[in-house]
Amino acid sequence: MDQQNCIRVLFPYQDGDAIGGSHTSSLTLAAGLDRREFSPLVLLHGAPGVLGDMVAEMDLPILRMERPPVMAGRLMRNADNASLQGYLRRSLPALVRLLRKERIDIVHTNDGGMHASWALPAKLAGARFIWHHRQAPDARGVNLVAPLFADHIFSVSEFSRPSKPVLDISKRFEVVRSPFTLSSDVPDRQAARQTLLQEIGAEENACLIGYFGSLISRKRPEHFVRVVDAVRKMISDRPVHGLIFGKDQVEGLGIEAECRKLVDTLGMTGCLHLMGHRTPVDPLIAGVDVLAVTALDEPFGRTLIEAMHVGTPVVATQHGGNIEAIQDGQTGFLVDPTEPAAFVPAIRTILDEPKTRRRITSAAKGFARALTVEAHVSKVSSVYRSLVRPTGDGKRRVAYIGSGTP
């Protein structure tokens, strides 16, 4: 299929310096599409940021749209985002014009702000609209808006399946696991560990417990601090250090400050380290002894799978999509999400029983390596094809509605 007849897929994002799992997963999908059949286009709203640099490095076509402003999810909202009235008056017509000009067949959105901003323009321009849900099952948007506008709804886990959609979505809902680019060149765990020990000034026999992710309420970094505190109080034969890799998702959110205050309150200065946002992440995950996942309502965490791949044991809350990613006692451990001390027995087992640790990490690697980019791209591509009908001349085009083909 020549480029003129390829299915054109738009991936819109708010540019900025916060890069999360949804960005990584969806851009990996865009980069993995067969260019003989699909033509991906990344649209970046707002002023240039780190996300734009990431897109450029992936060699994806980029279109910038700094104005007019669009709506944003609660966590990403700032003064530059449009009000509903401003969006309808200025932004909506501009987005519709862009879709028609670029002859977009499918709009594929991946976060709350982009869902809200692009659902109506896609319909008015006659493009198909895909809502990729990566939040809790009771999220308002996926239950109230997606059933009205989305031609197809993807979810990263069964846990995230919309709980009370206003319309039946059974024929246009599908679980598609996130894609993972897992290199066969796994970091040397001992070397990675030594690097971290030197950086934080810890002793050779220290236990390193890692947290990886944005500092947001759902991921509960404060609970992680309490977990580390519980471990250090109950494991007295070796030093215990917690390392938080991440930063506030939105400037001014204040969660990092809350963690620092809690560290002081619990007397944990010197054994809890706020390491900031770092890339690449694999050597860091490989350097810790345990990944502690403290999140609630986590749809299907990326760092959990990345830890499995590099051989770092995972202890996670028995909640959300963690239950679909971990078989308790087989590929990791699931624990009570309410009690920080619930993490202690599992971490003690990982530290004291090398045979159990090897068995679990070996099984976990097998699970992680089945979540390939190829499998994800194949499943999504099949849906793209189903949404864009063939025409009589063998070309594939979306069935435009309302105003006709742009």
Side-chain angles (χ1 to χ4, degrees):
M1 186 180 295
D2 59 47
Q3 279 294 306
Q4 185 177 356
N5 296 320
C6 284
I7 297 173
R8 290 179 59 75
V9 187
L10 184 76
F11 295 88
Y13 305 90
Q14 184 84 41
D15 202 352
D17 294 335
I19 298 176
S22 64
H23 299 108
T24 302
S25 295
S26 54
L27 289 171
T28 298
L29 163 67
L33 292 171
D34 186 344
R35 298 296 180 88
R36 295 170 298 181
E37 187 177 2
F38 302 100
S39 178
L41 176 62
V42 175
L43 186 141
L44 297 175
H45 291 282
V50 172
L51 179 61
D53 297 336
M54 176 181 173
V55 176
E57 289 173 4
M58 298 178 77
D59 196 29
L60 284 163
I62 299 175
L63 181 64
R64 284 204 167 272
M65 194 174 191
E66 295 192 22
R67 286 283 184 263
V70 292
M71 293 185 286
R74 180 176 58 85
L75 288 176
M76 302 301 292
R77 192 175 301 144
N78 58 48
D80 292 330
N81 296 124
S83 65
L84 178 58
Q85 182 180 13
Y87 167 81
L88 293 173
R89 186 178 68 252
R90 298 177 52 213
S91 304
L92 176 60
L95 300 186
V96 172
R97 287 195 299 270
L98 181 143
L99 290 175
R100 290 173 174 166
K101 177 183 176 183
E102 296 294 332
R103 296 184 59 81
I104 298 300
D105 298 311
I106 297 171
V107 178
H108 189 153
T109 56
N110 292 274
D111 65 72
M114 295 300 99
H115 298 327
S117 295
W118 284 94
L120 185 54
K123 285 302 176 187
L124 293 176
R128 293 298 187 241
F129 180 55
I130 292 181
W131 181 300
H132 210 131
H133 182 55
R134 306 172 190 274
Q135 297 176 308
D138 60 352
R140 288 174 57 85
V142 78
N143 285 284
L144 300 178
V145 182
L148 299 174
F149 289 93
D151 296 286
H152 206 82
I153 302 170
F154 286 130
S155 173
V156 295
S157 63
E158 283 293 342
F159 162 76
S160 292
R161 182 184 291 268
S163 56
K164 295 181 179 180
V166 294
L167 296 175
D168 179 26
I169 60 170
S170 58
K171 293 183 179 179
R172 48 194 171 113
F173 173 86
E174 196 165 356
V175 172
V176 180
R177 302 295 189 202
S178 297
F180 293 85
T181 305
L182 302 175
S183 171
S184 58
D185 186 18
V186 177
D188 183 313
R189 289 183 55 78
Q190 187 57 36
R193 175 180 161 79
Q194 287 299 319
T195 298
L196 289 180
L197 288 174
Q198 291 174 12
E199 180 175 352
I200 66 175
E203 299 175 39
E204 186 69 30
N205 69 333
C207 168
L208 304 183
I209 306 173
Y211 170 107
F212 293 81
S214 299
L215 304 188
I216 57 176
S217 298
R218 175 172 57 79
K219 292 183 181 291
R220 299 200 301 171
E222 302 98 326
H223 194 78
F224 175 82
V225 174
R226 295 187 184 280
V227 166
V228 175
D229 185 48
V231 174
R232 75 186 182 108
K233 288 177 177 176
M234 299 180 72
I235 296 180
S236 59
D237 58 342
R238 59 195 298 180
V240 174
H241 290 262
L243 295 87
I244 295 180
F245 291 92
K247 66 176 185 178
D248 285 343
Q249 189 173 44
V250 177
E251 187 176 351
L253 199 58
I255 292 181
E256 181 175 335
E258 291 176 14
C259 287
R260 292 185 185 279
K261 183 178 179 180
L262 183 58
V263 168
D264 292 339
T265 300
L266 297 175
M268 297 178 64
T269 302
C271 61
L272 196 291
H273 311 271
L274 290 156
M275 310 293 285
H277 176 73
R278 306 274 192 95
T279 57
V281 72
D282 281 2
L284 304 171
I285 296 179
V288 300
D289 298 304
V290 182
L291 174 71
V293 180
T294 52
L296 296 179
D297 293 330
E298 185 79 346
F300 199 78
R302 288 195 65 86
T303 55
L304 185 153
I305 303 301
E306 289 163 345
M308 290 180 167
H309 172 63
V310 301
T312 297
V314 179
V315 182
T317 53
Q318 190 168 7
H319 203 274
N322 295 340
I323 299 169
E324 297 175 46
I326 292 178
Q327 287 183 283
D328 187 33
Q330 300 299 314
T331 57
F333 293 96
L334 295 170
V335 301
D336 182 348
T338 63
E339 292 294 332
F343 281 75
V344 177
I347 292 176
R348 178 93 262 183
T349 297
I350 290 168
L351 297 176
D352 293 348
E353 299 180 17
K355 185 177 180 179
T356 300
R357 183 172 65 248
R358 288 193 296 270
R359 173 179 58 79
I360 285 175
T361 55
S362 176
K365 285 181 181 179
F367 176 81
R369 289 171 182 171
L371 300 172
T372 64
V373 173
E374 291 77 16
H376 180 83
V377 171
S378 175
K379 200 166 186 179
V380 174
S381 296
S382 178
V383 172
Y384 286 171
R385 295 186 197 101
S386 73
L387 294 178
V388 181
R389 74 184 187 189
T391 59
D393 57 6
K395 298 178 182 179
R396 302 182 70 87
R397 275 286 165 241
V398 68
Y400 283 93
I401 59 176
S403 58
T405 302

